[in-house]
Amino acid sequence: MSNNKCANLFLILLISSISAAFSQKQLLPGELVTSDGTLLQGEINYEARKETPTSFEFRHQNGTVATYTAENTQSVAIYLDDDVKEVFTSFNLEIDFGSMDLKKLDTKAEPTLTKKTVFVRNLVNGTIDLYGLIDASDKSHYFVSKGVSPPKELTYRKYYYSTNPDGTVSSITTSTGVAQVKTNEGYKNELYNLMKDNSTFVAKDFEKLEFKQKVLTNIVDKYNNGSTYVAATETMKFRPEISAVAAIVNTKDGTFNKEIPSSFSPSLGIGLYAKIPRTSWALQNNLRFTSINAEASNRTPANADNYEVTTYQFSYIKLHTMFRYIHPLNSGTEVYFQGGMLNGFLVKEKVLTQRHFYTSDTETLADQSDKKMERGIVVGAGLGKKNIYLGLDYEISNGFRFSVFNPIFTTLYFTGTYRF
C-alpha cells in the first residue's frame, strides 16, 4: 500500500468516526427524582465539566427523551467510570452572584443575595451537608446545611474598601486594584459555629482555612466522622495498558530514490493513561517496538542480468505522547480522537545493497546512522468499552540520517488495547 493510499484510508476512517461520534448523545446511566417524588431510571446526557449544569436531558427506559431543570427535579445521580456516582440536588437558594473580577468589584463587604432555583453538586452528605456550584462566570459557591436547616451559602467576597475621608474609593481602575481590595472571609466563622459542638474543633482550626473545594470537603467529612456520601476526589487517575500492535510502515528513500515496498510489523506495546479531572481530555503515553524489513530492486526486463537489490532492516522503540479527547456514547461505550508527538530510538539497523553484474556480484553495507533519534507527529482515533479499546493511528516521522540514506517513514498502526 502506497503512502497516499494509507493517508487517504486513514482520513476517511477518521472523518467517519468523528461524524458518528458527534451524531450520538453522551449518555450515561443514571437516576432522576422529579419534583413530585417520582424515581426515574434511564440514561442522562452528561459530560463531567467544571460549570454546574442548569438542566439534564434524560432518556427514559422506553426510549422517550425529556429535559429536566432545577424547577421540576429534586435530584439527579449519574454513574461515571469505576462505579463513581456524581449527584446533583435542586434547591431554591439565596446566592451571591457578585463578580470576583478585580476590575468589577463593588464597595459592599456584605453579599447582595439573589434567590434562584439551581442544581448544586453534592460534595459531602452527613450530619453536615456541603454543596458546590460553579456559575456561568466561573465563580465557585459553597453551601452548607445542618439538620433540617436549608443550605446557606458560605461567605467569601472581595470588595473595594474606602480610602478617602468621605467614604469614596480612589483609583479603582488601576490595572490590578490590589491596593484597594479586601476579602470578607465570613465562611471561617460560619463553619466554626456549625462545628464547635464537636470538642475536637477549635477556632484556631479555621483561621487559615482556604476557600477551596478539597479543603472544605475534608473538614466537613472530618466533622461527620464518616459521611454517607463524599464526591469522588478530583485527581489525575493513572491506569496502565497493554496493546497488541500491527504496523504497516512505508519508507520514502530520499537518497537512493527507490520505491520501497510496505513492511508489516506485529508487536506489543505498553502504555500509561491519565484522565484529566472534570474534562473530556486525557494524556496518553504508549511505548511501542516496530521493525522494518523490506527490499527494493531496480530489476527491469530490459536489463535482467545487471541489477541491484537493497535490503532495509530497522528496529526501533517509539514513545507516543498524545492528548486524547473522549466522547461518551451509549451504554458505557466511548470514541476517542488523539494527536501528539513521537520520539524514537534506533536499536537495530542495516542497509545492504547487492549489485549483480554479468561477471561478478558485489555487496555494499551502508555506514551506521549519523543519529539514533527520530521525531514525528501522530494522530489517531478509536472506540472502546470498559477496558477494551480498538484504535487506528497514523504517524509521520523524519526517519534516521545516514550518509547514504535519508528516509521518511509513514506508519499506520492498528491497535487492540486492554486497560487495567
Side-chain angles (χ1 to χ4, degrees):
M1 184 182 294
S2 68
N3 293 352
N4 288 337
K5 289 183 178 179
C6 284
N8 291 338
L9 174 61
F10 176 80
L11 289 174
I12 291 171
L13 292 173
L14 181 60
I15 292 171
S16 299
S17 298
I18 293 174
S19 176
F22 287 95
S23 65
Q24 298 286 332
K25 299 294 184 181
Q26 302 176 34
L27 297 178
L28 295 172
E31 298 176 343
L32 185 147
V33 179
T34 64
S35 54
D36 63 4
T38 303
L39 174 64
L40 304 177
Q41 294 182 321
E43 293 180 312
I44 298 172
N45 183 18
Y46 176 72
E47 179 182 356
R49 59 190 187 278
K50 192 173 183 182
E51 183 182 337
T52 307
T54 57
S55 64
F56 293 92
E57 186 180 278
F58 187 86
R59 183 184 294 274
H60 296 261
Q61 292 178 329
N62 63 6
T64 60
V65 177
T67 298
Y68 291 86
T69 65
E71 284 77 12
N72 59 14
T73 307
Q74 290 186 23
S75 64
V76 178
I78 302 116
Y79 294 91
L80 308 178
D81 291 338
D82 303 323
D83 297 325
V84 174
K85 181 172 64 172
E86 187 141 285
V87 180
F88 295 88
T89 305
S90 170
F91 290 106
N92 184 250
L93 301 172
E94 291 186 329
I95 305 173
D96 176 19
F97 288 107
S99 176
M100 297 293 280
D101 186 335
L102 293 182
K103 296 180 180 180
K104 299 179 181 179
L105 301 182
D106 60 32
T107 58
K108 297 179 180 179
E110 295 303 316
T112 299
L113 302 177
T114 301
K115 199 146 191 177
K116 188 174 182 180
T117 301
V118 294
F119 282 116
V120 290
R121 183 173 176 234
N122 293 36
L123 300 178
V124 183
N125 294 136
T127 305
I128 293 178
D129 295 329
L130 175 69
Y131 305 94
L133 167 68
I134 301 178
D135 64 26
S137 63
D138 202 29
K139 179 182 177 180
S140 296
H141 306 259
Y142 298 100
F143 306 83
V144 291
S145 65
K146 187 176 183 180
V148 296
S149 301
K152 182 179 179 181
E153 183 170 10
L154 294 173
T155 303
Y156 181 79
R157 180 179 177 83
K158 293 183 182 294
Y159 62 97
Y160 285 114
Y161 68 94
S162 175
T163 58
N164 296 331
D166 61 359
T168 61
V169 179
S170 301
S171 304
I172 289 179
T173 57
T174 56
S175 60
T176 62
V178 172
Q180 295 83 33
V181 173
K182 279 190 174 181
T183 304
N184 181 347
E185 296 182 333
Y187 70 94
K188 297 179 179 180
N189 283 331
E190 291 162 359
L191 284 173
Y192 172 62
N193 289 332
L194 283 176
M195 299 182 181
K196 63 184 179 181
D197 58 345
N198 186 326
S199 59
T200 61
F201 292 91
V202 296
K204 188 176 180 181
D205 295 332
F206 300 85
E207 290 177 359
K208 296 183 179 180
L209 191 70
E210 295 180 282
F211 194 73
K212 294 181 179 179
Q213 179 175 306
K214 184 177 181 180
V215 175
L216 298 176
T217 298
N218 286 344
I219 196 167
V220 172
D221 186 42
K222 181 180 178 181
Y223 173 86
N224 290 344
N225 192 26
S227 303
T228 57
Y229 172 84
V230 179
T233 304
E234 298 181 33
T235 58
M236 194 85 87
K237 294 181 179 180
F238 294 91
R239 298 178 61 182
E241 299 179 336
I242 185 170
S243 301
V245 182
I248 300 176
V249 186
N250 287 275
T251 308
K252 181 178 180 181
D253 181 344
T255 301
F256 291 142
N257 196 28
K258 300 184 187 306
E259 183 66 29
I260 302 175
S262 299
S263 176
F264 177 77
S265 172
S267 66
L268 293 176
I270 56 174
L272 191 64
Y273 169 89
K275 179 73 166 55
I276 301 174
R278 302 196 64 75
T279 72
S280 297
W281 293 92
L283 294 174
Q284 176 73 21
N285 283 281
N286 194 276
L287 194 66
R288 300 175 182 175
F289 178 83
T290 310
S291 296
I292 298 175
N293 191 345
E295 66 177 36
S297 172
N298 66 351
R299 183 196 298 264
T300 63
N303 198 16
D305 297 324
N306 187 2
Y307 62 92
E308 64 181 42
V309 176
T310 301
T311 302
Y312 302 89
Q313 295 178 330
F314 301 111
S315 296
Y316 46 88
I317 296 174
K318 292 184 178 181
L319 176 65
H320 291 144
T321 301
M322 293 173 284
F323 280 99
R324 174 177 291 187
Y325 176 78
I326 305 152
H327 187 86
L329 303 177
N330 297 351
S331 304
T333 303
E334 64 183 35
V335 64
Y336 67 82
F337 310 96
Q338 61 188 15
M341 63 178 295
L342 67 97
N343 288 279
F345 181 75
L346 184 62
V347 294
K348 179 182 179 182
E349 56 183 303
K350 184 178 181 182
V351 180
L352 178 65
T353 300
Q354 297 175 308
R355 294 180 174 85
H356 299 270
F357 298 95
Y358 293 104
T359 57
S360 63
D361 295 336
T362 61
E363 291 186 353
T364 302
L365 186 64
D367 295 334
Q368 295 290 300
S369 60
D370 299 327
K371 68 170 188 174
K372 301 291 185 180
M373 301 295 296
E374 74 161 344
R375 290 182 174 86
I377 59 173
V378 57
V379 294
L383 185 71
K385 185 173 183 179
K386 293 184 179 179
N387 298 328
I388 305 295
Y389 293 82
L390 299 177
L392 182 68
D393 295 328
Y394 183 71
E395 168 194 294
I396 301 176
S397 54
N398 60 2
F400 306 109
R401 293 295 179 259
F402 294 81
S403 58
V404 295
F405 180 53
N406 295 313
I408 294 177
F409 300 128
T410 57
T411 306
L412 193 64
Y413 295 96
F414 299 89
T415 62
T417 301
Y418 180 82
R419 182 179 300 160
F420 295 93

